[in-house]
Amino acid sequence: MDSNKKSTTIQKNYVTILGSGTSTGVPTPGCPCKLCQQAANNPSSKNNRLRTSIFLQTTRGKHILIDTTPDLRTQILQSKISQIDAVIITHDHADHIHGIDDLRPFCFFQKRKEIPLHVTDYTKQQLEKRFEYIFNNTKKVIGGGIPMLTLHTVEGNITPNIIEEEEFTFFTLPHGHITSLGFFHQGLAYLTDCQEIPADVLNFLIASDVKLLIIDATRRKPHATHLHLEKSLNYIKQINPQQSRLIHLSHDFDHEQLCQEVMDYGLLNSKASFDGEKLSY
Ligand SMILES: [Zn+2]
Ligand SMILES: [Zn+2]
């Protein structure tokens, strides 16, 4: 028998879906619809969706968080995250950044006290404005303190960037008035918050060996700033990944029903994602 001396290193990369929901989360507060009511009465239902975020654990032992949602504290506790080496912020909408202060405890307990945030130049400027107390703090802090975060800009034009020794190929995606940062990392392609995939990005993904595609599918009807279900499924067909997951889901979708619909569409290895789902790639 093998004496497995490498037991401490993991053989595969893992991604955890920390939140699969649209900007309001599901159930949507105050919404009288049947799905929201049922989800509220059944906390373990896969129709309960926190705000969209994922977490990567790499074979090199790196732990990388994507976005700091208003649900971040709950997501960290639910997924038992005890290490965050770096954060990638896709864009500056509230549902992707308003939990930024929940990174603070990681600045107390980790060996490395400062956490690097990787962003586009536009997002850097917005974060500096929105969270002046973190990024432009000139006052001496008394009491609880502030998260110690540093901002680093990345190239978003389908060129490789190295983050924590890991190669990420970033690309920008149109998202209403702004862009959202998507990426490819060792077979994982992540595309949230976009209304379309530009031709050069689509061609790059078609030419890449995409093992797992996680893609925006906010609702059934067309949306000005997001992919809707039919458009997402169409892109999945074109990219043809080994498997895929739909994310940023609204109360339009019942988990089981959506999985069935995707299968009926002919995408046998595609499903709706759900909070807490962990996949290898
Ligand atoms: Zn969003
Ligand atoms: Zn957004």
Side-chain angles (χ1 to χ4, degrees):
M1 280 177 72
D2 282 351
S3 63
N4 189 359
K5 285 184 180 164
K6 282 188 173 177
S7 57
T8 50
T9 58
I10 52 173
Q11 302 298 311
K12 287 178 175 173
N13 298 296
Y14 286 93
V15 53
T16 304
I17 309 289
L18 298 182
S20 57
T22 192
S23 56
T24 56
V26 181
T28 305
C31 178
C33 87
K34 198 174 146 196
L35 186 131
C36 285
Q37 296 295 313
Q38 285 179 346
N41 290 325
N42 182 5
S44 62
S45 154
K46 287 178 179 162
N47 290 336
N48 278 282
R49 303 180 177 116
L50 298 176
R51 266 58 76 87
T52 286
S53 171
I54 60 171
F55 183 67
L56 312 181
Q57 291 163 275
T58 74
T59 53
R60 292 184 183 85
K62 303 297 179 184
H63 296 68
I64 301 171
L65 173 69
I66 319 301
D67 289 332
T68 58
T69 82
D71 299 314
L72 183 57
R73 181 177 180 278
T74 305
Q75 292 168 326
I76 286 168
L77 293 172
Q78 282 183 354
S79 291
K80 298 185 170 53
I81 293 171
S82 58
Q83 184 187 339
I84 297 175
D85 298 305
V87 181
I88 295 166
I89 302 284
T90 59
H91 64 298
D92 74 325
H93 282 164
D95 55 324
H96 295 262
I97 60 167
H98 278 192
I100 197 165
D101 205 274
D102 288 343
L103 293 172
R104 196 159 55 97
F106 290 88
C107 306
F108 308 154
F109 302 126
Q110 292 192 147
K111 219 174 178 181
R112 185 168 68 184
K113 301 291 179 199
E114 281 193 348
I115 302 175
L117 266 58
H118 300 274
V119 296
T120 61
D121 189 50
Y122 175 81
T123 301
K124 179 175 183 282
Q125 291 171 36
Q126 297 307 308
L127 291 177
E128 283 168 344
K129 261 194 252 171
R130 304 261 286 280
F131 301 105
E132 202 181 357
Y133 79 100
I134 297 176
F135 300 111
N136 288 312
N137 191 12
T138 50
K139 292 185 197 118
K140 191 170 166 20
V141 177
I142 304 167
I146 57 173
M148 289 154 75
L149 311 175
T150 53
L151 292 170
H152 306 264
T153 53
V154 299
E155 293 297 327
N157 49 357
I158 327 183
T159 44
N161 292 245
I162 304 297
I163 291 178
E164 302 298 312
E165 300 169 40
E166 302 284 342
E167 186 177 297
F168 283 83
T169 301
F170 290 108
F171 37 82
T172 48
L173 303 163
H175 183 38
H177 293 300
I178 61 166
T179 61
S180 169
L181 192 62
F183 66 78
F184 179 81
H185 170 255
Q186 293 190 28
L188 169 69
Y190 186 60
L191 295 88
T192 188
D193 292 64
C194 58
Q195 74 266 21
E196 65 181 7
I197 305 177
D200 56 347
V201 177
L202 188 59
N203 288 334
F204 163 74
L205 293 171
I206 290 169
S208 303
D209 180 16
V210 180
K211 294 178 196 146
L212 174 59
L213 170 67
I214 302 177
I215 187 168
D216 184 355
T218 293
R219 69 180 190 192
R220 291 187 182 280
K221 280 195 298 184
H223 193 296
T225 64
H226 284 277
L227 294 176
H228 65 289
L229 180 60
E230 201 186 324
K231 208 167 174 181
S232 307
L233 297 182
N234 206 297
Y235 279 135
I236 296 171
K237 265 201 173 151
Q238 291 180 68
I239 296 167
N240 194 24
Q242 284 176 25
Q243 58 173 334
S244 63
R245 290 294 182 276
L246 304 173
I247 203 163
H248 213 284
L249 304 169
S250 73
H251 62 176
D252 276 8
F253 303 115
D254 170 70
H255 178 81
E256 297 301 331
Q257 193 191 329
L258 180 54
C259 289
Q260 186 62 50
E261 277 180 58
V262 174
M263 202 187 286
D264 293 346
Y265 190 84
L267 294 168
L268 302 183
N269 296 315
S270 297
K271 286 178 180 162
S273 66
F274 59 90
D275 292 18
E277 184 176 23
K278 192 170 178 177
L279 299 150
S280 63
Y281 64 96

